[in-house]
Amino acid sequence: MAKYERILTNKATGEKALVKSNDPYLLEQKIEKQVARWQREADKRHAENLKAEKGDDAVQQTEEAKTRNASYGKILAATLSKNDRIDWNELKSNAEFHAYHPEPAPVKEDFFMKVPKKSFLEVIFTFLRKSREQAEAEALGEYETACKTYAQQEEKNRKEYEDARSLFQKKQRDHNVKVDSLRDTFEQGDKDAIEDYLNMVLERSEYPEDISLDHEISFDKSARLVRIDTQLPAFDDISFVSEVKYVASKDTFQTKYLGKTEAKSIYTAMLYQIAIRTLHEIFEAEYTGHVHFIEFNGFVSGIDPKRGTEVQTSVLKLKADRDTFMQINLARVDAEACASGFGGKLEKIAFDLSSIKKSA
């Protein structure tokens, strides 16, 4: 289970999202991505309400759909140019605490702006001189009081700043110590550290926006085996849009979808690629050699069409050893054939389950 989690609420729609991570810094990044995604959706809805822009919007949606559909076929290729090994220094915090900026000090001239200027008339009318001198004395007193108050407040502000900086630096040191500790225990083969590290590896793996994966990892040290249970996207959760048209006469959008056969073919290739990609990322990132075998078990959750109940069922299993897997040229393989070589075969039920999200 993830160590950190937060429930976010989209104020515009009421939609809620549970964001989880095993690292607080990654949690904040995932929160930012979720908020950004909601913002994009809000912007999209706003654009749809502007009739003059709907024609262009339909064209854009069609291009986005084509790009998205193409991305499904590049899931494996997208990771091959990246080094999945985590740079421990990147996990550390090296940020500088913000500089101290004192409040502006009282300006003496500001207090004397309403004080009358000296005049030759004071020689004749002495009350003018006395009035000016009294005003000067009052202004000087106000200025000195302001300076004293300023000095006291500045001393308080400076202390609060120093306390905040000390707390920031302590948290930063503590965090960096934890990173070093995780690295050391990971390299020593500690079970929990390896599981935490591999969870981070998979969390950092970027997929097309509408593909959401959830991994549960367990490490058997004696067998040098990692078991990965992965929640895969349901077939109905993927929007296989082929074209979006705006019909001005009806002020409506018409969405066309890929044929069932083509959509199933893309979905099948997608799941095989996810499985092979997961093996690749784990083997590449786990540089110590503590992991020699990986068992991948892909699950799909959905509504059983026969019973109408929610089920979670395994649809794709495979097991690979490091030596054999690392000899494969993944840039040239067919993911389905590659998975088959490790005992992987997609179960037909993967296509039969209805989306829980759409049924809610």
Side-chain angles (χ1 to χ4, degrees):
M1 301 296 293
K3 292 183 177 179
Y4 304 93
E5 63 180 45
R6 191 179 303 174
I7 298 177
L8 306 179
T9 302
N10 187 335
K11 294 181 179 179
T13 64
E15 179 184 356
K16 296 185 181 295
L18 176 61
V19 182
K20 301 186 295 183
S21 177
N22 287 290
D23 180 84
Y25 278 55
L26 289 176
L27 180 68
E28 292 301 323
Q29 293 176 9
K30 296 178 79 171
I31 289 173
E32 291 177 2
K33 287 184 178 180
Q34 180 62 55
V35 172
R37 178 180 178 184
W38 279 340
Q39 184 59 52
R40 288 194 299 271
E41 292 172 351
D43 293 342
K44 185 176 181 180
R45 287 191 298 271
H46 176 69
E48 291 172 351
N49 291 331
L50 300 176
K51 187 174 181 179
E53 298 179 4
K54 288 183 178 179
D56 292 337
D57 188 40
V59 173
Q60 182 179 348
Q61 289 185 56
T62 298
E63 292 302 314
E64 290 175 352
K66 291 179 179 179
T67 300
R68 186 166 56 249
N69 291 338
S71 71
Y72 299 149
K74 302 175 183 177
I75 288 175
L76 177 57
T79 192
L80 300 182
S81 61
K82 301 177 182 178
N83 184 351
D84 297 298
R85 174 173 171 175
I86 290 179
D87 183 343
W88 295 102
N89 289 326
E90 288 184 358
L91 298 182
K92 293 184 177 182
S93 171
N94 298 303
E96 295 288 340
F97 193 67
H98 64 83
Y100 180 73
H101 299 288
E103 294 294 327
V107 179
K108 186 174 184 179
E109 288 75 10
D110 293 345
F111 292 83
F112 285 80
M113 291 180 62
K114 296 182 179 180
V115 175
K117 303 295 182 182
K118 281 187 178 182
S119 170
F120 70 92
L121 293 176
E122 293 180 358
V123 177
I124 303 173
F125 303 103
T126 56
F127 73 90
L128 293 177
R129 176 176 58 79
K130 293 180 179 179
S131 177
R132 175 180 60 79
E133 290 176 345
Q134 181 179 354
E136 287 178 345
E138 291 175 353
L140 181 61
E142 292 175 357
Y143 170 67
E144 290 175 344
T145 299
C147 287
K148 182 177 180 181
T149 301
Y150 171 79
Q152 293 172 343
Q153 185 62 46
E154 186 60 20
E155 182 179 3
K156 178 182 177 182
N157 292 347
R158 173 68 74 171
K159 183 179 185 306
E160 290 177 350
Y161 170 81
E162 294 296 342
D163 290 345
R165 184 174 67 171
S166 297
L167 180 60
F168 172 85
Q169 292 173 339
K170 180 182 184 304
K171 289 182 176 180
Q172 189 177 61
R173 288 193 300 271
D174 291 345
H175 170 77
N176 291 343
V177 167
K178 289 181 180 179
V179 172
D180 286 335
S181 176
L182 176 60
R183 180 198 60 207
D184 293 342
T185 53
F186 163 74
E187 293 180 348
Q188 292 165 10
D190 178 78
K191 178 183 185 302
D192 292 338
I194 287 180
E195 291 174 354
D196 288 344
Y197 174 84
L198 297 182
N199 266 308
M200 282 192 290
V201 169
L202 296 184
E203 283 184 8
R204 292 157 68 97
S205 184
E206 296 183 354
Y207 280 82
E209 188 174 81
D210 54 344
I211 295 180
S212 178
L213 305 177
D214 191 13
H215 305 280
E216 290 289 339
I217 294 178
S218 62
F219 176 56
D220 184 337
K221 185 173 182 178
S222 61
R224 301 171 67 188
L225 169 69
V226 164
R227 295 184 177 88
I228 306 173
D229 291 335
T230 298
Q231 181 71 50
L232 299 168
F235 179 61
D236 282 356
D237 286 334
I238 305 299
S239 179
F240 295 104
V241 175
S242 63
E243 183 181 14
V244 178
K245 286 186 176 181
Y246 174 61
V247 182
S249 61
K250 297 181 180 180
D251 191 24
T252 59
F253 287 96
Q254 289 184 349
T255 302
K256 294 183 178 181
Y257 296 89
L258 298 176
K260 196 79 172 233
T261 300
E262 184 177 3
K264 282 186 174 182
S265 177
I266 293 175
Y267 180 70
T268 298
M270 175 194 302
L271 297 195
Y272 280 121
Q273 287 183 81
I274 290 173
I276 297 301
R277 172 170 167 163
T278 302
L279 297 180
H280 162 74
E281 290 174 339
I282 293 299
F283 278 135
E284 181 175 72
E286 201 287 290
Y287 58 89
T288 64
H290 291 299
V291 176
H292 194 71
F293 301 97
I294 299 177
E295 286 184 355
F296 177 89
N297 192 4
F299 289 87
V300 171
S301 295
I303 306 298
D304 187 332
K306 296 180 180 179
R307 301 181 179 180
T309 56
E310 293 186 15
V311 296
Q312 184 184 62
T313 183
S314 175
V315 298
L316 181 59
K317 295 181 179 180
L318 56 154
K319 181 177 180 179
D321 67 277
R322 179 187 289 271
D323 294 339
T324 302
F325 189 86
M326 297 303 287
Q327 293 176 14
I328 298 173
N329 184 348
L330 294 178
R332 301 174 67 179
V333 302
D334 174 83
E336 181 174 353
C338 183
S340 177
F342 295 105
K345 180 175 177 56
L346 184 63
E347 300 294 336
K348 180 180 178 299
I349 195 174
F351 305 102
D352 298 333
L353 300 180
S354 300
S355 171
I356 295 176
K357 296 178 183 177
K358 295 181 180 179
S359 300

